[in-house]
Amino acid sequence: MKKTILTNCERNFINASIEKKTRLDGRDLFEARSVNIYFGSDWGTCIVSLGKTRAVAQVSCDIQQPKPSRPNEGMIYINVELNPLAAQHFENNRQCEAATLINRQLEKCIKESKCIDLESLCIVADKKVWNLRLDINILNHDGNLIDCASIAALAALLHFHRPDVTSTGDNIIVHPFNEKDALPLRLFFLPVCVSFITFESGITIMDPTYIEEKVAVAQLTLGVNSYKELCSLHFDYLTKTLTVEDVISVASNHVAKYAINLIKQIKEAVVKDISLRYSKDNTYSCHIKECIISNKITTMCNDNISIKLHNWNFTQQHKNETYENDNNEETNHIVKLAEGFAELITNETKTIGDGGHNSWCPSSEDEMSDVEIISVNESSNTTINKADILELDDDSEEEIIEIVDKKDII
């Protein structure tokens, strides 16, 4: 994987802001980004967005012979793919170290924690079992890939339904979905990964972004279920440092409450989608199209920067107003997005019909001297005779053009 370079100015700026307990996106130190879950038309297909980090998960199954050591248990295989679509420093068709690390952590959290009832996947002992395959692809990389991948994996497993099977001796009949209802997977508990990073100053934050991960010196990932039980743990020193203190005790106070709320959100999203599928409403369509912005090609690009304001004195009634300067030029204005957050809207270009200075003027000074423009008040009822205009034309050396209404000329 190609290495990305972070400048010293960016590194010093982030460290200085973290020491003041301020993050670039306005979040608190132990505040996570918003999570959105969308499901596809097939069972076990979902897209999860954690802030700007996105991952898609797909669960599939087939019938295979079980392992000799586990003759009455099914199997599950997890595969994580990182491609240049997510970030430019990822190489295509090559398993990088980051993908291997994420794959290993998901196996610890999901597979080795025994959260899936593998015995329910057995069809005929020592002969035929279901083999599950969980494929996760990262669509956009903005930090904390392991948390986004674990949420996508858990949502896909809860949403997945396998075909029903009838076994008569050596014959195995796999019923399609139109003959028999699909069967969901049995999960004993629901584990999710929650990540923390520590900086040189010893301050720990939750749910880091990409640029914060580049500055961090240590990373901690905890796999926790809704029963506040620890399913997996991974701690890694990103750089050589001696400033890291006891991170686990600091993170354990926040991870349990966050994991409970996150698992509740995942279950509600899965139940809502499944209930809509089995309802008699024919207007139901897959919700995966809701996460696609059709009016923009580059949906992940954002020219505006998010800032945190300590003092907010901008009233709600003026949030969409613009202010003009002495030259009657439209200036930049601020729009309030949420409590404590704002966005600066710039007006660098003007389109036709939006106003601005008049650019129509004579091409030379000679034309300007030959023509004299006199403005006439529209409210006056003064009339002008044509004869008077003719006399002015004969006696005067210059032409006088008066802008009057046709009704005032007799």
Side-chain angles (χ1 to χ4, degrees), residues 347-364:
N347 299 282
E348 299 177 353
T349 59
K350 292 184 175 67
T351 57
I352 298 175
D354 289 344
H357 290 292
N358 184 14
S359 60
W360 294 93
C361 59
S363 59
S364 62

Side-chain angles (χ1 to χ4, degrees), residues 94-211:
R94 184 175 181 181
Q95 191 75 3
C96 60
E97 182 180 356
T100 305
L101 180 61
I102 296 173
N103 200 345
R104 182 55 183 162
Q105 293 185 46
L106 290 179
E107 287 181 352
K108 289 181 179 179
C109 183
I110 297 176
K111 186 177 180 179
E112 297 181 5
S113 64
K114 306 295 183 181
C115 67
I116 303 176
D117 185 10
L118 297 179
E119 292 184 357
S120 62
L121 301 178
C122 178
I123 302 175
V124 179
D126 204 12
K127 291 184 179 181
K128 299 294 181 180
V129 295
W130 285 107
N131 177 41
L132 301 179
R133 180 183 175 91
L134 175 59
D135 292 298
I136 302 173
N137 286 273
I138 304 300
L139 301 181
N140 190 64
H141 180 19
D142 190 34
N144 203 4
L145 295 179
I146 177 61
D147 286 16
C148 186
S150 67
I151 297 172
L154 181 59
L157 290 173
L158 285 175
H159 187 262
F160 178 72
H161 286 58
R162 63 175 179 84
D164 195 1
V165 177
T166 302
S167 176
T168 57
D170 295 335
N171 297 328
I172 297 175
I173 301 174
V174 179
H175 300 280
F177 293 151
N178 55 4
E179 291 184 1
K180 287 189 176 182
D181 293 336
L183 302 178
L185 298 178
R186 291 182 58 186
L187 278 75
F188 298 115
F189 51 86
L190 309 177
V192 290
C193 293
V194 184
S195 297
F196 302 83
I197 61 171
T198 305
F199 294 89
E200 294 178 353
S201 58
I203 299 177
T204 303
I205 65 173
M206 185 173 67
D207 188 16
T209 59
Y210 173 73
I211 194 170

